[in-house]
Amino acid sequence: MNPPDSCLDAETLAAWVDGGLRGDEFRMAQTHVADCARCQALVGAMARTEAAVPQLEPQRTPRRWLAWAVPLTAAATALVIWTIVPRNPVTTQPVATEAARTASPAASQTEIVVSPEIIPEKEEAAAEKKPAAAAPPPPAQARDQLAEREAIAPQQEARKDAAAAAPAAEPTATLAAPAPTAAPAPRRAEGRAQAAQSANIATFAPRMQDLCGASWTGPAPAVTTPLTAGTSPASNVCWIVGRLGVVLLTTDGRTWTGLMFPAITDLSSVTATSARNATVVTTDGRRFVTTDGGMTWNSQQPAAGSRP
Amino acid sequence: MPADAKLDGLHADDLAFARACAGGDEAAWERFVLTYRPILYRAADALDPGGGARDLADSIYGELFERSLFRYFHGRSSLATWLRAVLSQRYIDRLRAGRRTEPLPDEEVPDATRTADADEFDPGRAHRIASLRRALSRAVEQLESRDRLRLACYYAQDLTLAQTGKLLGEHEATCSRQLARTRKTLRHHVEEQLRAEGLDDRTIRESAAAIAEDSGTLDLKQLLCKEFPVDRSR
């Protein structure tokens, strides 16, 4: 507990904001902040950051008498979800037509239906801006990602096979925009896991402004793969990259196109100068450059001594 | 505070997660990078849209990576809120430290005797503003600390009614009513003090009208932001 004369420490301030101060501690904090310009400024700063940060979890409330309602509500919600969630989770339907695929050189691309409801998770768009010198990337992250890719790869292969068998869902892009009509029906448990993953992603949804710049007003691409970075070299043009080799491009600010990327690996950043020229960096440090809007990619070796 | 009350407010999941990060758990750290680092940077951008707080976010992220900062998180709030609090604290302290060495023009305490252009045509105006400033300052001091905090949050820090109410543990409608009551109280105290200085009701009304039209150097925000001596009797 803070002494009455001392300013609030970060922990007390955070507890106050989250409704975790009670009794004397609550009163002492109020009394102090009422007379302290610094702490008032702190409270104001906290309020400003609140608007910018999505809630990761429901705020706790001091109403302890409502505690009994929580498990009851959770049970009721679980029952409702169990009842109404379909066995085949509805996903976005790719709309690449046969004519478009044959007539256009972009035969290896999948056009993504725009859906503002689903906004995938991403790492901070400005993650390229490294932290202080003493903060290298997290240890052995690549190993975890490799394990995860190994776990996901069979599903993707199955998905590709199923997609190849269905004419309407032929695109070969590695996007997480599955072909629902052709994919084998997942078991109920898998469906729930996917639904939970989607909900989780939506909860942690980055804003499109984080990916494509503060002035971006277009909708988000309807993919479930976590997105990690983006850049907008011109108005209505935005490149977004994500995990498992997902590269998305829009040139009209509304319709997103999934591009074929030469490696199924997690992508960490993208820089672009136009709708045709972009450089994508993978989490293991490889660089891929395109000069034709993602139709072809050239691999570049990382500079000697560079850190992945 | 009773132990069960502390446990009731404990964010055990976040505490366990922070401990896992501090202990070098790679999966936990990966989740931190994907979920919490963006929060840190968004909060920095919210504090300074020009990017001036990003270096503080970098610094905090560096300390978290070295695991030295996690030990100060004890689960009394969510980890996200705690990160915002740490960042806000460092940002405000740096801002205040900078202002101490380099006072900004708007931070200078207005001199009540200084006359603006309008005052030069009305010598009595400067005197009335000085009287009002003294009276208002005393009236603010006389308020209960809770009322003063509500005023400061709403008028000086530009918090919304909902945000102000949340901090004070009251509904925003209650907060609105309390603000209206406090404004009445302030006005009552100010008028009382002006009468005590010998001003009649007509002069007080005219002064109030003139100040409402052009407050000049009189700023409630500055009065609310000034440090008041802590009254332990409250």
Side-chain angles (χ1 to χ4, degrees), chain A residues 155-200:
Chain A
Q155 297 173 16
Q156 286 201 326
E157 287 303 320
R159 195 176 291 161
K160 281 182 186 173
D161 293 341
E170 195 172 343
T172 56
T174 58
L175 291 172
T181 54
R187 288 173 299 178
R188 177 175 286 269
E190 288 172 348
R192 281 205 303 276
Q194 287 178 8
Q197 189 185 16
S198 298
N200 198 33

Side-chain angles (χ1 to χ4, degrees), chain B residues 176-194:
Chain B
S176 175
R177 282 196 302 273
Q178 295 293 342
L179 278 172
R181 180 189 56 78
T182 306
R183 283 195 299 268
K184 272 187 186 172
T185 307
L186 270 180
R187 184 178 182 117
H188 177 70
H189 286 168
V190 166
E191 286 175 355
E192 261 187 353
Q193 289 175 55
L194 291 178

Side-chain angles (χ1 to χ4, degrees), chain B:
Chain B
M1 178 182 290
D4 63 337
K6 278 207 168 183
L7 281 176
D8 183 49
L10 187 69
H11 292 244
D13 290 348
D14 280 7
L15 182 59
F17 173 67
R19 290 290 177 267
C21 289
D25 185 292
E26 289 161 6
W29 184 256
E30 185 176 2
R31 186 183 149 206
F32 182 88
V33 170
L34 286 172
T35 306
Y36 289 91
R37 192 172 71 164
I39 289 176
L40 201 55
Y41 285 95
R42 282 185 205 159
D45 287 345
L47 287 173
D48 186 344
R54 283 243 167 186
D55 60 326
L56 292 175
D58 281 341
S59 160
I60 290 171
Y61 178 62
E63 288 177 48
L64 290 165
F65 183 78
E66 292 168 348
R67 302 165 193 174
S68 57
L69 196 56
F70 276 118
R71 69 170 180 266
Y72 295 105
F73 177 68
H74 299 110
R76 296 190 63 202
S77 66
S78 70
L79 183 58
T81 307
W82 179 74
L83 288 172
R84 286 166 46 211
V86 172
L87 180 68
S88 299
Q89 197 177 45
R90 295 190 183 187
Y91 177 73
I92 293 298
D93 285 345
R94 187 170 72 176
L95 213 60
R96 287 168 63 84
R99 282 181 182 173
R100 257 183 225 122
T101 53
E102 229 174 295
L104 298 173
D106 63 352
E107 201 192 24
E108 293 170 359
V109 177
D111 181 0
T113 60
R114 190 178 62 189
T115 55
D117 289 346
D119 299 340
E120 290 173 5
F121 298 98
D122 182 4
R125 177 183 162 82
H127 177 69
R128 287 198 298 272
I129 287 181
S131 298
L132 265 175
R133 169 179 292 282
R134 279 196 304 275
L136 188 56
S137 180
R138 278 197 293 268
V140 169
E141 280 185 66
Q142 285 174 5
L143 291 174
E144 291 289 326
S145 61
R146 188 175 169 84
D147 293 337
R148 199 158 56 238
L149 175 60
R150 195 182 291 108
L151 276 184
C153 287
Y154 188 71
Y155 289 109
Q157 301 302 326
D158 295 326
L159 268 62
T160 63
L161 280 175
Q163 288 170 328
T164 306
K166 188 180 164 193
L167 275 176
L168 290 157
E170 62 194 19
H171 190 269
E172 60 180 291
T174 309
C175 185
S176 175
R177 282 196 302 273
Q178 295 293 342
L179 278 172
R181 180 189 56 78
T182 306
R183 283 195 299 268
K184 272 187 186 172
T185 307
L186 270 180
R187 184 178 182 117
H188 177 70
H189 286 168
V190 166
E191 286 175 355
E192 261 187 353
Q193 289 175 55
L194 291 178
R195 279 190 205 100
E197 286 187 13
L199 273 66
D200 57 29
D201 286 353
R202 182 166 168 263
T203 310
I204 290 173
R205 273 199 307 275
E206 285 175 0
S207 298
I211 294 299
E213 197 174 309
D214 179 11
S215 60
T217 57
L218 183 60
D219 188 355
L220 177 64
K221 204 169 184 173
Q222 286 173 341
L223 287 175
L224 290 168
C225 286
K226 86 174 187 182
E227 312 252 2
F228 291 100
V230 176
D231 183 356
R232 302 286 178 76
S233 65
R234 282 193 189 122

Side-chain angles (χ1 to χ4, degrees), chain A residues 19-269:
Chain A
L21 292 190
R22 298 197 181 92
D24 286 345
E25 203 175 15
F26 183 47
R27 281 189 290 276
M28 282 166 61
Q30 283 188 16
T31 305
H32 174 81
V33 175
D35 299 321
C36 176
R38 173 186 177 268
C39 289
Q40 285 177 16
L42 265 180
V43 168
M46 282 295 283
R48 290 205 297 280
T49 61
E50 183 185 15
V53 176
Q55 290 296 325
L56 292 182
E57 59 186 41
Q59 289 289 305
R60 288 165 185 248
T61 70
R63 296 175 182 174
R64 300 177 66 186
W65 56 272
L66 276 177
W68 61 270
V70 175
L72 191 63
T73 308
T77 307
L79 188 64
V80 169
I81 291 174
W82 181 272
T83 308
I84 65 173
V85 169
R87 285 178 178 274
N88 299 331
V90 177
T91 50
T92 307
Q93 176 80 33
V95 292
T97 63
E98 186 66 30
R101 279 187 289 109
T102 52
S104 162
S108 59
Q109 298 176 353
T110 304
E111 194 169 336
I112 305 298
V113 176
V114 169
S115 167
E117 289 82 14
I118 302 174
I119 305 175
E121 178 183 9
K122 77 159 191 69
E123 193 174 337
E124 175 65 23
E128 290 176 67
K129 184 174 181 181
K130 297 286 184 188
Q141 185 177 342
R143 197 174 64 215
D144 283 353
Q145 289 163 350
L146 180 61
E148 187 177 341
R149 283 199 300 276
E150 286 170 354
I152 293 172
Q155 297 173 16
Q156 286 201 326
E157 287 303 320
R159 195 176 291 161
K160 281 182 186 173
D161 293 341
E170 195 172 343
T172 56
T174 58
L175 291 172
T181 54
R187 288 173 299 178
R188 177 175 286 269
E190 288 172 348
R192 281 205 303 276
Q194 287 178 8
Q197 189 185 16
S198 298
N200 198 33
I201 288 168
T203 304
F204 301 143
R207 296 168 307 173
M208 284 305 294
Q209 286 79 8
D210 292 330
L211 295 167
C212 299
S215 58
W216 189 265
T217 56
V223 295
T224 56
T225 302
L227 304 178
T228 50
T231 183
S232 175
S235 63
N236 292 334
V237 176
C238 184
W239 294 77
I240 296 179
V241 297
R243 302 183 78 171
L244 302 168
V246 167
V247 181
L248 305 172
L249 171 65
T250 179
T251 55
D252 61 4
R254 301 204 60 79
T255 309
W256 290 92
T257 302
L259 306 176
M260 276 297 290
F261 193 72
I264 302 179
T265 185
D266 294 347
L267 309 179
S268 63
S269 69

